[in-house]
Amino acid sequence: MAMAALRREGRRFATPLISPNPAIALRSSIIPSQEQVSSGVRCISTQIVRNRMKSVKNIQKITKAMKMVAASKLRAIQTRAENSRGLWQPFTALLGDSASVDVKKNVIVTISADKGLCGGINSTSVKISRALHKLNSGPEKENKYVVLGEKAKAQLVRDSKKDIELIMTELQKNPLNYTQVSVMADDILKNVEFDALRIVFNKFQSVVSFLPTVSTVLSPEVVEREAAESGGKLGELDLYEVEGAETKSEVLQNLAEFQFSCVMFNAVLENATSEQGARMSAMDSSSRNAGDMLDRLTLTYNRTRQASITTELIEIISGASALEG
Amino acid sequence: MASNAAAPFWRSAGMTYITYSNLCANLLRNCLKEPYKSDALSREKVHYTISKWENGKPQKPTIRSDTPEE
């Protein structure tokens, strides 16, 4: 009789560990509960719960440290990104950022991070790149990808393999500087034919908000074409005098190359800033989750501990009463 | 007047404007005096890996780097 009661109690104490539901009342009735999952386990040892708590606490420490590191890197790179915005603004004022230009050869430059654990920014960049690809597809039109960064590479390789032209990775071994970005821009210019370059990156608005952006850089021929026909803002280029021994088309070519390099520099910096910001918020929410999990595990641990003490007491008392009676 | 076809010498040598301006910047950085010079030259380091893809297949990646590989 006593042993049956004990067995029932033991099984009921075991279920909280399998589903830590604080609603299960422990000490009240001896009615066997119908939702027992594991039989044959009288009391789970507190060791398992303790191990789990230790690992969750370690994870919390690690994610907190990662958040601090990301915060400090963010501060450094944010000032650089904001300062680099001044590089492309004159270009946009002069040559315009006409995202709606209809061209035959489109090259989509997707900028992403190399390391993970930074939230969803890489997926949004890839999503926008794919949308651009679809938007610009048509009978004579051609879309190619140039990928910067491992994360976008992993996603784009899955379904757009034949449209990829170049992949560049390992960008952040040295701190980002203009020379590196301009050498990469040079590589792109030399290896890829394009009428328009669309650079997809995450612009940094604030620590919690990153805006996926597309910047368009046109090739010099297209710029000339636009200047000649529409007469809109590009037509005003004729108002400017060209000094020196160069013709207007040479100046336009130099300007277009330099514009590409500047816009890419800004884009890479802004994406790096967004990456650090996203990593900071991801690690912050993960350490908060770890803290919640730790609280729940502590409650479970205490319940298990008390249950095992109660079981021992019951054994002793029932043993003693069996001796008397 | 120089002929417009071959205008800047670097353009006819195959360089882009970007390469030209990087070379000029390097010359300028080398004109500095010592403590500033090494600071400025450290801002010039380049390292990345690039691989061209043909028809959905990657070619062998090459590493462009200023720092010698260990």
Side-chain angles (χ1 to χ4, degrees):
Chain A
M1 166 63 194
M3 291 309 289
L6 277 174
R7 226 174 291 125
R8 271 181 253 129
E9 289 284 61
R11 262 178 271 162
R12 278 179 65 245
F13 294 144
T15 44
L17 280 131
I18 302 164
S19 57
N21 187 349
I24 295 182
L26 284 180
R27 280 182 206 69
S28 45
S29 64
I30 324 177
I31 305 168
S33 48
Q34 295 305 314
E35 77 271 2
Q36 291 157 13
V37 180
S38 84
S39 54
V41 176
R42 268 187 67 179
C43 291
I44 272 197
S45 74
T46 57
Q47 183 70 20
I48 299 181
V49 185
R50 233 184 336 189
N51 286 342
R52 194 104 200 256
M53 276 170 57
K54 201 164 61 160
S55 63
V56 171
K57 206 186 303 194
N58 284 339
I59 289 181
Q60 188 182 31
K61 279 192 204 155
I62 292 175
T63 52
K64 244 188 215 161
M66 285 185 75
K67 174 187 164 191
M68 296 286 135
V69 167
S72 70
K73 286 193 181 165
L74 175 73
R75 247 174 291 135
I77 204 172
Q78 183 177 348
T79 43
R80 297 186 64 200
E82 286 175 0
N83 291 339
S84 79
R85 286 180 188 164
L87 268 181
W88 54 262
Q89 276 157 358
F91 277 111
T92 313
L94 176 68
L95 295 173
D97 187 351
S98 40
S100 56
V101 161
D102 202 20
V103 287
K104 295 221 179 57
K105 287 202 182 148
N106 239 325
V107 172
I108 303 176
V109 181
T110 312
I111 305 191
S112 70
D114 273 345
K115 301 203 182 123
L117 292 180
C118 49
I121 54 172
N122 298 319
S123 314
T124 46
S125 286
V126 171
K127 212 166 47 168
I128 303 262
S129 314
R130 289 205 181 122
L132 271 182
H133 185 107
K134 234 191 226 176
L135 199 64
N136 269 313
S137 53
E140 295 175 349
K141 302 204 197 152
E142 201 185 302
N143 283 304
K144 291 276 175 199
Y145 287 111
V146 169
V147 183
L148 269 68
E150 290 278 350
K151 295 290 157 188
K153 166 185 165 186
Q155 293 190 29
L156 282 175
V157 154
R158 264 190 292 142
D159 60 350
S160 312
K161 268 175 107 158
K162 52 185 178 42
D163 284 328
I164 300 183
E165 281 280 343
L166 282 178
I167 293 192
M168 302 191 205
T169 51
E170 284 188 47
L171 301 170
Q172 298 224 22
K173 184 159 168 197
N174 302 324
L176 287 171
N177 53 33
Y178 178 75
T179 314
Q180 169 159 341
V181 175
S182 65
V183 174
M184 295 189 327
D186 193 38
D187 262 337
I188 296 179
L189 284 173
K190 288 204 171 116
N191 284 319
V192 178
E193 283 191 23
F194 63 94
D195 283 335
L197 283 160
R198 318 239 177 215
I199 308 178
V200 179
F201 62 101
N202 290 87
K203 190 165 166 151
F204 181 78
Q205 310 271 70
S206 78
V207 180
V208 295
S209 97
F210 325 105
L211 199 59
T213 331
V214 180
S215 288
T216 313
V217 175
L218 303 170
S219 75
E221 298 92 20
V222 177
V223 171
E224 288 214 58
R225 195 185 73 196
E226 291 287 311
E229 58 176 71
S230 63
K233 63 170 82 99
L234 290 180
E236 292 168 0
L237 278 177
D238 284 330
L239 295 176
Y240 290 97
E241 265 188 34
V242 177
E243 275 194 31
E246 300 176 340
T247 63
K248 181 171 143 200
S249 49
E250 279 160 17
V251 169
L252 273 183
Q253 195 177 12
N254 293 344
L255 277 180
E257 292 173 0
F258 192 44
Q259 180 190 18
F260 176 43
S261 171
C262 293
V263 171
M264 222 173 90
F265 180 54
N266 180 61
V268 169
L269 276 181
E270 300 256 1
N271 204 54
T273 324
S274 309
E275 175 198 338
Q276 299 297 343
R279 185 167 297 137
M280 206 174 106
S281 59
M283 291 296 108
D284 179 49
S285 63
S286 130
S287 35
R288 209 173 317 126
N289 284 343
D292 289 343
M293 210 188 272
L294 203 55
D295 287 339
R296 278 202 313 266
L297 281 175
T298 312
L299 285 176
T300 316
Y301 176 69
N302 285 330
R303 270 205 305 269
T304 342
R305 192 176 48 89
Q306 288 163 352
S308 71
I309 293 175
T310 312
T311 320
E312 271 197 58
L313 281 175
I314 291 180
E315 285 181 9
I316 295 173
I317 294 175
S318 52
S321 68
L323 279 180
E324 292 172 19
Chain B
M1 268 306 176
S3 70
N4 283 338
F9 55 94
W10 43 269
R11 182 66 74 177
S12 42
M15 282 207 276
T16 56
Y17 179 75
I18 302 178
T19 327
Y20 174 57
S21 74
N22 277 341
L23 279 177
C24 297
N26 184 312
L27 285 174
L28 201 59
R29 285 188 183 116
N30 279 320
C31 295
L32 292 171
K33 281 198 194 163
E34 207 11 76
Y36 305 106
K37 181 172 175 177
S38 33
D39 284 342
L41 286 180
S42 74
R43 276 187 297 208
E44 263 203 326
K45 295 219 168 20
V46 171
H47 176 99
Y48 64 99
T49 312
I50 178 173
S51 82
K52 279 181 70 73
W53 277 52
E54 305 268 334
N55 292 330
K57 289 199 203 343
Q59 317 292 348
K60 188 160 170 23
T62 52
I63 303 183
R64 293 197 206 282
S65 174
D66 278 350
T67 59
E69 301 299 323
E70 289 99 46

